[in-house]
Structure formats: C-alpha cells, structure tokens
Amino acid sequence: MSLIDLLTGNTSNQVAEQAENKFGISKNQIIALLAVAAPLIISYLRNKSQDSKEAEALNNALDKDHNGSILDDSSQVEARQAEGGSILSHIFGNDKQNVENQLSQNTGISIDKIGPVLAMLAPLIMGYIGKEKQQNNVGAGGLGDLLGGILGNASNQAQTQQSSPLNDILGSVLGGGGQSQSSGNPLNDILGSVLGGGQQKQQEGGLGGILGSIFGK
C-alpha cells in the first residue's frame, strides 16, 4: 500500500471523522494534516534508523505494537491516543513544540488541538509502517531503506498522478524526491520545501495555497 493509498483510503477517512467529531475540526483539515505529518514522521524515523540502536528500538516497537491491525480497525485510534503522544515525543524529541507550531500555522488547526490530533494520527502512521515492514520482510538493518522507499514512491506517485489536493500536498511536501536529505533535519527539509521563503510564500502558494484550495479558502 502506498502512502497515497493510506491517505485516500477508508481508514484515514474514518479516523478523520472520529477526530472531526472529537475536536470539531473539519475532516479535510485532518486529512491534510495527515498528508504532512505522515512524511514528516517517516522522515524523522528514517534519520533515527541510521543509528543502529535506534533502528533496533524502532524494529522492536513495530514488531510488538504496530502490526497494521489498526488499518483494519480504526476504532483503535482513539483508545491509543495517549500512546500516540508518547510516540510523537520520542520521534520529534526537542523539535516537538516547533513541529506542532509549524503544523498549526500551516493547517489552521489551533495549537491547543494540534498535539491531541497528531497523537490520534501517530498510531495509524506507525501501523502503516509496521504493515509495510511485515510485507517486505524487513529487519532493523533495512528500515532506513524501507522508509526512504515509502517517501520516494509517494513523491513519484504524487507527481505522476493527476493533480488532486492530496497529491499536490504530498508533491510539495516531498519536493523532488523522498530520497533527498539536504539539511539532515526533516522538519527543515519538509516544511522548508513547502514554505520556502516564509510567510509570504504561504499566501502565494505552497502548502498554504494548497490547503486553501482544499478548505475553500
């Protein structure tokens, strides 16, 4: 299953509906947030997995807690929200506040809600990675390549498929290819490629413009 399949599939829609009901945020905003958060989380994990201890820890966590069953049972998402918060704290570390601030600014989801919504989405993203790991029979040593491949395939698919809001977001987020790691900081690479020169670019286009088109300006 590609990243775009995840974003456009039934599970993501069901999760977005749950979050919409719980937080009063539009379903479109939740899906758009997922379209940015998923590559961001995967990029952070890919960077972490270059360290053998981190790769082993991630491999164990995926085997133990993220077998992909959540993709078939979206009701797990709400029950696993606290776990999702812990996942995000581990993945983003000291960047967590900055990530939440940036995502809040660029999706229009208020800062007090962005963390809890991300915590609902994190187990879904981890479940997706866990399922891909199982299907590709990958161990700790292959996680970096697996995660890079997920991003690269999503980038290629977004650029070759007919333009749609989600494809446009992924295309912007992933830039010229999921494999590029210009600064070594996924937050800078991913949000930088979308936001470019700062606030004014949001007005002209970039993620702000794409989100505006989804949410009807």
Side-chain angles (χ1 to χ4, degrees):
M1 183 201 300
S2 74
L3 197 54
I4 290 178
D5 294 334
L6 173 71
L7 296 172
T8 55
N10 287 336
T11 308
S12 294
N13 274 303
Q14 288 164 5
V15 169
E17 282 170 9
Q18 287 179 47
E20 181 177 53
N21 293 334
K22 183 165 185 176
F23 299 109
I25 299 163
S26 85
K27 188 174 151 185
N28 279 344
Q29 275 177 299
I30 305 289
I31 295 282
L33 174 63
L34 182 60
V36 181
L40 195 57
I41 285 172
I42 291 168
S43 291
Y44 267 81
L45 288 174
R46 181 182 59 175
N47 275 14
K48 280 182 175 293
S49 68
Q50 290 168 5
D51 176 291
S52 58
K53 284 185 180 172
E54 288 281 1
E56 196 60 53
L58 174 59
N59 190 60
N60 291 340
L62 291 170
D63 284 344
K64 180 168 168 275
D65 298 319
H66 305 288
N67 60 4
S69 65
I70 196 167
L71 301 177
D72 303 312
D73 177 16
S74 62
S75 66
Q76 291 183 37
V77 170
E78 214 162 331
R80 297 178 71 171
Q81 190 176 332
E83 177 194 343
S86 300
I87 290 168
L88 294 171
S89 294
H90 177 73
I91 291 173
F92 293 135
N94 295 333
D95 282 351
K96 186 167 183 277
Q97 193 69 54
N98 190 17
V99 169
E100 291 181 359
N101 286 336
Q102 294 273 11
L103 291 175
S104 173
Q105 285 174 28
N106 291 288
T107 58
I109 297 173
S110 63
I111 192 66
D112 61 315
K113 291 181 178 175
I114 197 89
V117 175
L118 281 171
M120 271 183 85
L121 299 179
L124 178 68
I125 297 165
M126 292 295 286
Y128 167 71
I129 296 169
K131 189 165 188 179
E132 289 297 299
K133 172 180 139 50
Q134 282 182 353
Q135 288 181 341
N136 290 279
N137 199 24
V138 168
L143 284 174
D145 288 342
L146 176 75
L147 296 168
I150 289 172
L151 295 175
N153 290 340
S155 175
N156 294 338
Q157 200 176 344
Q159 286 163 15
T160 55
Q161 284 188 351
Q162 189 175 354
S163 177
S164 73
L166 277 178
N167 282 350
D168 292 346
I169 289 176
L170 271 180
S172 293
V173 166
L174 295 169
Q179 304 292 355
S180 63
Q181 276 183 284
S182 53
S183 77
N185 180 324
L187 181 66
N188 291 346
D189 289 348
I190 284 188
L191 293 181
S193 70
V194 180
L195 307 178
Q199 300 301 316
Q200 83 276 6
K201 181 157 184 223
Q202 290 177 49
Q203 311 308 321
E204 298 161 16
L207 182 60
I210 297 166
L211 294 178
S213 70
I214 296 181
F215 311 141
K217 300 284 184 287

